[in-house]
Amino acid sequence: MDKFVIEGPTPLQGTIPISGSKNAALPLMAAALLGNSPTTIHNVPKLRDIYTFNNVLRVTGARVDFDEESGTLTIDPANISFLEAPYELVRKMRASFYMLGALLGKYGEAKVSLPGGCAWGPRPVDLHIEGMKTMGANIELEQGYVIANTEKVLDGGIYELDPSSVGATINLLLASVLRASEFTIKNAAKEPDVVLLCKALSNMGAEIDGIGTDTLTVRRVDTLTGIEIDNAPDRIETGTFMIAGAMHPKSELTLTGADPSELGAFPETLRKTGAEVEINGSTIRVKAPDTLKPVSIKTRTYPGFPTDLQAQWSTMMTQAEGDSKVTDTIYYDRFSYVPELVRLGADMNVEKNTVHISGKTPLKSASVMSTDLRASVSLVLAAMVAEGSTDVLRIYHLDRGYEDLEEKLSRVGGNIKRLDQDA
Ligand code: EPZ
């Protein structure tokens, strides 16, 4: 098992290329199963979650070719015969649950493991299941598996999500485009990953109204055709590096290959800290202020402040002059990073779904433990400005969602090494 050893404090200066998005690629990969010919996705990142999903697809009999060098992934559904997603794989990555919508939508039956627990909070899939039942599917739960089947054509109906859910919107789209005469999803997620999936399905021949809005109406078609599509740049990776560029007073980063239009209110919120944020096409330049101003945030569904950036924001706020609050309205207890930052000397405490932060507190090196993807990258950001040598343990969490993290940070002056934790 690997760890990072990070020497700090180090300013970050230079250029970082943004990778393809994990959360946008996964639904596209599931959608490929719906086609009657191969689909090719470009700009797919080399991440553990992508490899896991490649194996989930291969278990069904799909042919999956991943050219890591060019980031090109081709999925051929021609030989699919095993309509299952096993627990061994689904427990590694929740998004494998998209197989329920894809297999049910294409073949009218599916056996998919329930995702199981997560590092933070209950993350139920009740909306996915209730939505499919509303559409007309038969769904049973048996020994930790969802057993589903449908008629060839379903009436459909209207299903209102509460709360709005990215995953449920994706699964209901996958299940309905070939099945439901007319199915409307109300309070649908508007995240860019959902919009890209809708565009991909439309390019495959699907009929979807209301793309980009919170009301999506699907009318089934008989067949869908494989396509070639560009995956989106990773907007959460982009936000993470923008925060990294604002945390040390001498830092200045340029991010290339980004899509600023997918960042919602985030750039403006970052400017409120005093950071310079310059956007020029797909290039974003961030220059840290001499003194960071405290800015409190509340996470929201898109285009509000993304929950996947709240840990990184809280970390930056430990270096701001003054008090701030970070409230997560999407996940009520996504704060497993707080005790680790306190180990580095941060002054912060959690009350219900809000973390209260007092800054500026000089951080000092210590050993800290990763718990989940975004929590662990916040520990890397903290270690970059902490005095001394910090060990960030269990970084396999990071490898799930950040491509070449240590190479990218080293390239801009970060002093970060990957070592075998047990050596
Ligand atoms: C997606 O997860 C992302 N994952 C998450 O990013 C992200 O945090 C989340 O959306 C919110 O933006 C991927 O795209 C693979 P939700 P998802 O369904 O789809 C509740 C990362 O770091 N809910 O929108 O699982 C749920 O508990 C990951 O890359 C139900 O109650 O999130 C939460 O409170 C972590 N019942 C809220 O809805 C359901 O059936 C939003 O969850 C489904 C969800």
Side-chain angles (χ1 to χ4, degrees):
M1 199 186 297
D2 290 352
K3 67 178 179 181
F4 279 149
V5 177
I6 299 172
E7 304 295 334
T10 51
L12 301 176
Q13 296 164 341
T15 300
I16 295 179
I18 295 299
S19 296
S21 165
K22 163 180 83 78
N23 291 351
L26 297 169
L28 296 178
M29 293 163 71
L33 300 189
L34 299 173
N36 55 14
S37 53
T39 285
T40 295
I41 309 168
H42 297 287
N43 195 23
V44 176
K46 302 185 293 300
L47 296 172
R48 246 164 24 95
D49 278 8
I50 298 292
Y51 298 135
T52 301
F53 207 46
N54 285 348
N55 292 334
V56 170
L57 297 169
R58 288 188 180 111
V59 162
T60 67
R63 183 191 158 113
V64 179
D65 296 304
F66 187 24
D67 174 359
E68 296 179 14
E69 200 48 47
S70 66
T72 302
L73 181 66
T74 299
I75 298 161
D76 182 353
N79 298 326
I80 288 179
S81 57
F82 188 64
L83 305 178
E84 287 197 26
Y87 174 66
E88 293 68 41
L89 291 172
V90 176
R91 71 179 175 76
K92 290 185 182 162
M93 188 196 57
R94 298 177 56 78
S96 312
F97 200 61
Y98 297 159
M99 292 300 282
L100 181 62
L103 294 175
L104 191 64
K106 176 81 175 284
Y107 302 94
E109 62 177 278
K111 178 179 178 183
V112 173
S113 170
L114 282 167
C118 177
W120 76 86
R123 297 182 67 192
V125 291
D126 56 324
L127 298 174
H128 302 231
I129 292 170
E130 288 316 308
M132 288 180 195
K133 284 182 178 172
T134 301
M135 201 193 302
N138 309 312
I139 304 237
E140 307 287 330
L141 297 185
E142 213 178 281
Q143 297 183 302
Y145 277 81
V146 177
I147 316 279
N149 61 67
T150 81
E151 303 300 317
K152 178 156 175 32
V153 177
L154 299 170
D155 294 345
I158 299 174
Y159 184 69
E160 174 139 14
L161 292 170
D162 181 20
S164 179
S165 156
V166 172
T169 303
I170 289 169
N171 239 337
L172 294 175
L173 286 166
L174 294 170
S176 59
V177 282
L178 288 168
R179 294 276 151 194
S181 304
E182 181 165 310
F183 184 65
T184 296
I185 307 167
K186 289 200 165 188
N187 198 25
K190 297 183 288 188
E191 270 66 8
D193 320 327
V194 172
V195 173
L196 182 62
L197 173 67
C198 288
K199 288 180 179 157
L201 290 169
S202 301
N203 294 353
M204 295 173 82
E207 282 188 29
I208 306 173
D209 290 346
I211 296 177
T213 77
D214 62 5
T215 302
L216 297 171
T217 298
V218 171
R219 290 183 192 79
R220 68 172 296 278
V221 293
D222 287 332
T223 58
L224 294 172
T225 309
I227 56 168
E228 195 161 348
I229 189 161
D230 291 332
N231 181 29
D234 194 315
R235 63 195 173 91
I236 304 299
E237 184 196 27
T238 305
T240 301
F241 285 131
M242 289 172 73
I243 289 172
M247 276 184 66
H248 184 291
K250 295 213 171 23
S251 285
E252 181 169 355
L253 285 179
T254 299
L255 309 178
T256 57
D259 182 349
S261 72
E262 294 198 344
L263 297 174
F266 181 73
E268 209 36 55
T269 311
L270 186 59
R271 287 191 182 100
K272 290 185 184 145
T273 67
E276 274 176 41
V277 179
E278 201 184 287
I279 294 177
N280 187 355
S282 63
T283 298
I284 302 173
R285 186 183 68 81
V286 175
K287 185 172 181 317
D290 295 335
T291 305
L292 271 169
K293 296 191 198 105
V295 175
S296 298
I297 59 107
K298 269 191 181 163
T299 67
R300 299 268 182 232
T301 54
Y302 190 84
F305 193 101
T307 172
D308 295 344
L309 286 174
Q310 64 98 330
Q312 300 92 316
W313 192 269
S314 301
T315 306
M316 176 173 62
M317 286 299 108
T318 66
Q319 301 307 295
E321 290 294 348
D323 295 350
S324 58
K325 290 187 296 184
V326 169
T327 301
D328 199 328
T329 69
I330 308 292
Y331 297 111
Y332 278 58
D333 57 354
R334 195 179 188 179
F335 299 105
S336 54
Y337 60 89
V338 171
E340 302 301 317
L341 290 181
V342 170
R343 287 176 52 73
L344 293 170
D347 180 356
M348 52 198 327
N349 67 291
V350 178
E351 265 172 46
K352 294 200 181 109
N353 60 328
T354 295
V355 56
H356 300 266
I357 305 141
S358 297
K360 168 176 184 161
T361 50
L363 301 182
K364 197 142 183 15
S365 62
S367 290
V368 288
M369 183 77 76
S370 305
T371 48
D372 64 78
L373 173 57
R374 308 304 171 182
S376 34
V377 82
S378 70
L379 303 181
V380 171
L381 297 185
M384 289 278 166
V385 297
E387 190 71 45
S389 176
T390 296
D391 282 13
V392 180
L393 307 177
R394 295 190 181 168
I395 54 173
Y396 59 85
H397 289 289
L398 276 163
D399 295 335
R400 295 189 51 184
Y402 288 93
E403 186 181 47
D404 304 333
L405 184 63
E406 68 264 35
E407 286 85 1
K408 289 185 179 186
L409 288 170
S410 304
R411 180 190 307 200
V412 293
N415 185 333
I416 175 169
K417 287 184 195 55
R418 176 186 291 257
L419 298 175
D420 179 346
Q421 190 172 302
D422 311 315

